[in-house]
Amino acid sequence: MSIADNIEKIEERIQRACAASGRKREEITLVGVSKFHPIESVLEAWQAGVRSFGENRVQEGVEKFAGFRESRPGAELHLIGSLQRNKAKAAVETFDCVQSVDRESIIFELGKRAAARSMPLPVLLELHTGEESKSGFSGLEELFRAVELVLACPALLVRGLMTMAPNTGEEGLIRSSFRRVVNAQKELQRRFPPPPGGDWNWSCLSMGMSGDFEIAIEEGSTLTRIGSAIFGERFL
Ligand SMILES: *Cc1c(COP(=O)(O)O)cnc(C)c1O
């Protein structure tokens, strides 16, 4: 199976999940997670229509995507892995969105570094809902505090939430993880209503990976991060 074949299959599955839950395909962005895969694979995915890519390490993203977007309008690169403070400068220079804002100290650092960009940096706040991954804000109170900090940084634009569901075969656990994010979105919408016509909002829900993206779409995901189902297994 080629990368293009894999993408075609994923597309069909996304469309089926949308149809099953009364949603439109255009509501969902497919981010191809290219970590540990070479630029040649990224180019194949681009040829097959994928426009957004995700990397979980800053340095890998910097090296792999050097020059990639300059000649490809519409291409986007998202950081989806936890960010170390000393990589924040490189991150704001390289990524179009940081999805993995997972603690207060990184908000300060990103806000400071993003001020040097020509455009503010879109970010998502990561909510910890699974047992496996340790990263992310643990609940609403933590999220509320984080939002206050983000809103105080003019160089950051919050656009929504991100989560990783537990890595389990139990569908109920996965669903409840996604539902926590949807509920948090509602609470945030109420407590921090975005200004009409403003450039920040709560609209993006980054949920769903290779093993659970259909469930995520049924639960309201607007962005799925798909790695192995597109690019194949990762070899370290
Ligand atoms: C690796 C990774 C993905 C993609 O995982 P697959 O199971 O290969 O689709 C998605 N999100 C994050 C945060 C990741 O680190």
Side-chain angles (χ1 to χ4, degrees):
M1 290 273 289
S2 70
I3 286 172
D5 290 335
N6 290 341
I7 291 169
E8 198 179 313
K9 288 251 153 51
I10 296 284
E11 261 308 324
E12 286 168 12
R13 288 171 60 187
I14 291 177
Q15 285 177 20
R16 237 178 289 139
C18 283
S21 46
R23 304 190 58 200
K24 298 199 185 73
R25 172 64 186 88
E26 310 87 81
E27 294 171 25
I28 291 135
T29 301
L30 169 60
V31 171
V33 176
S34 49
K35 64 187 182 194
F36 307 129
H37 290 280
I39 189 67
E40 290 74 21
S41 298
V42 171
L43 290 167
E44 277 186 66
W46 171 268
Q47 286 295 331
V50 176
R51 289 295 172 264
S52 301
F53 297 90
E55 288 284 336
N56 68 337
R57 292 184 196 171
V58 174
Q59 196 52 33
E60 189 177 340
V62 169
E63 288 166 15
K64 195 182 300 180
F65 284 84
F68 178 82
R69 280 160 299 167
E70 284 72 359
S71 53
R72 292 177 185 80
E76 276 188 20
L77 185 58
H78 293 227
L79 183 65
I80 60 171
S82 194
L83 176 61
Q84 291 166 278
R85 218 131 38 116
N86 61 0
K87 303 278 171 58
K89 181 170 181 286
V92 305
E93 290 167 355
T94 302
F95 291 89
D96 301 298
C97 174
V98 175
Q99 295 198 6
S100 41
V101 173
D102 57 2
R103 62 198 190 280
E104 290 187 2
S105 58
I106 206 67
I107 297 175
F108 286 117
E109 195 64 27
L110 275 177
K112 196 168 75 188
R113 297 297 184 178
R117 285 167 52 105
S118 57
M119 309 273 276
L121 177 73
V123 298
L124 304 180
L125 299 176
E126 181 174 353
L127 185 60
H128 178 210
T129 62
E131 279 104 88
E132 253 74 22
S133 92
K134 288 278 173 286
S135 58
F137 295 100
S138 58
L140 275 180
E141 288 308 315
E142 276 209 335
L143 266 185
F144 290 165
R145 267 206 310 277
V147 174
E148 306 267 6
L149 297 177
V150 172
L151 294 181
C153 296
L156 302 180
L157 299 175
V158 69
R159 293 280 167 78
L161 300 171
M162 183 270 233
T163 204
M164 277 175 96
N167 183 10
T168 168
E170 277 189 64
E171 195 180 309
L173 287 178
I174 297 170
R175 259 183 218 287
S176 66
S177 157
F178 294 144
R179 282 180 189 170
R180 278 190 59 201
V181 179
V182 173
N183 286 330
Q185 181 194 39
K186 287 185 186 136
E187 293 295 330
L188 289 164
Q189 185 75 38
R190 199 161 27 226
R191 188 152 172 148
F192 302 94
D199 43 14
W200 64 271
N201 56 64
W202 299 110
S203 62
C204 182
L205 294 181
S206 174
M207 332 193 281
M209 309 180 14
S210 294
D212 57 18
F213 68 89
E214 283 134 319
I215 300 172
I217 289 171
E218 287 167 25
E219 297 298 336
S221 167
T222 68
L223 185 154
T224 55
R225 310 177 307 269
I226 302 185
S228 46
I230 291 179
F231 296 105
E233 291 306 314
R234 292 179 285 270
F235 301 102
L236 281 165

